[in-house]
Amino acid sequence: MSLCEIVRLEGYIQSTYLAVYPNKILLLDGCCRPDVKIVLDYIQTTLQRPVSDLKVVIVTHMHPDHAGGANKLRKATGCRIVSADKSKQWYNSIGGQAMHLVDIGLAHYVAKRQGRPFKKLWYSAHLHPDTTVQDGDLIPEFDDWQVLETPGHTDRDLSLFHLPSHQVYTADLIIKLRHKFVAPFPIYDPKTYIRSLQKIKDLNPSSVMMAHGRSLTIDAATFDMLIAQAPKHRRTVKDTIRHKLLWRQNFDSYSKRQSKKK
């Protein structure tokens, strides 16, 4: 089996990882729309190889910094898109289309906070992968990589485990901001999210590659801390808005009662 070199590229708002082999390349996530040029330039200029060497792009979930470049990369290289085996699109229905717009807006907000120049982030809300995978499957053409289902952030999150080196790419399951680890936003299912953290801990990985952060060794104690501090309730845009509205209603009601007492 050919050995691979895992390369980290600085994406628009996230880390992008390539598994580079002598005769093929795997992109560990679908990145942002502006990252398409970065990936293609790296293959052509730095590696001095044809873009057709990019054989597979994984889409771990449908957020703009993980799916935004996938379709453009397939069009440019002829690569295969691989993603989770789900019967419904993540952004299904009118509500899903609205959430797609919200998520693009949130990605623009993150870019602004990071001091990035404004760039187009629009991408299709619907993904039509060439191949779908389930937990335990090996990635087509890259049988040294195993797919792990690690939902909770969304209903279809994937992590990718490199069997020879025990390195694991966890997409948004774990986020490191400066000097602290944080849970992602949103949290679609808190209990499932905690089980996914435990699943990665049980692998005892040699290093964890994070989309928001870098590749780090995370010890058992840190995993236990992440599990203990994981959100116990859903954290989505809809739930946040509902919580704020209920808080405001309760505050207004309390204020009126206090005024009557006076």
Side-chain angles (χ1 to χ4, degrees), residues 10-175:
E10 187 71 35
Y12 184 54
I13 59 172
Q14 83 296 322
S15 293
T16 298
Y17 299 89
L18 286 166
V20 180
Y21 296 76
N23 61 341
K24 59 186 179 181
I25 299 169
L26 166 68
L27 182 63
L28 302 190
D29 223 336
C31 59
C32 281
R33 176 174 171 166
D35 298 326
V36 171
K37 185 177 185 301
I38 294 172
V39 171
L40 296 180
D41 283 351
Y42 182 81
I43 294 172
Q44 290 178 302
T45 304
T46 303
L47 298 180
Q48 296 188 340
R49 291 167 58 170
V51 295
S52 58
D53 275 5
L54 181 63
K55 301 300 182 184
V56 172
V57 172
I58 307 294
V59 172
T60 61
H61 61 290
M62 281 302 296
H63 288 155
D65 49 340
H66 299 268
N71 285 322
K72 285 188 170 294
L73 285 166
R74 177 165 57 184
K75 185 176 180 181
T77 69
C79 68
R80 181 191 307 194
I81 294 178
V82 175
S83 195
D85 185 10
K86 294 293 180 181
S87 59
K88 291 184 178 180
Q89 296 284 343
W90 172 247
Y91 295 118
N92 67 81
S93 75
I94 295 175
Q97 295 289 331
M99 186 54 62
H100 180 241
L101 295 175
V102 170
D103 286 343
I104 291 174
L106 287 173
H108 279 299
Y109 170 77
V110 171
K112 186 175 181 180
R113 287 288 301 269
Q114 293 183 1
R116 305 292 190 183
F118 179 86
K119 293 189 178 183
K120 292 181 180 179
L121 295 180
W122 177 261
Y123 67 110
S124 175
H126 291 171
L127 183 74
H128 300 286
D130 301 290
T131 303
T132 58
V133 288
Q134 297 178 342
D135 191 62
D137 286 349
L138 301 180
I139 296 176
E141 302 186 54
F142 297 87
D143 60 4
D144 50 340
W145 288 88
Q146 185 179 42
V147 173
L148 304 173
E149 293 181 358
T150 51
H153 175 47
T154 73
D155 71 343
R156 63 197 62 208
D157 305 88
L158 300 178
S159 293
L160 309 173
F161 187 46
H162 187 232
L163 297 167
S165 67
H166 274 229
Q167 296 179 84
V168 64
Y169 172 68
T170 55
D172 281 355
L173 184 70
I174 304 168
I175 292 174

Side-chain angles (χ1 to χ4, degrees), residues 162-212:
H162 187 232
L163 297 167
S165 67
H166 274 229
Q167 296 179 84
V168 64
Y169 172 68
T170 55
D172 281 355
L173 184 70
I174 304 168
I175 292 174
K176 191 165 192 296
L177 300 178
R178 296 184 181 178
H179 302 297
K180 65 178 181 178
F181 291 98
V182 298
F185 181 87
I187 294 290
Y188 173 80
D189 185 332
K191 291 182 179 179
T192 302
Y193 174 72
I194 290 171
R195 286 196 294 270
S196 294
L197 285 173
Q198 184 66 49
K199 185 174 188 175
I200 299 300
K201 178 194 172 185
D202 290 344
L203 289 175
N204 192 25
S206 61
S207 65
V208 177
M209 293 175 279
M210 295 170 283
H212 299 282

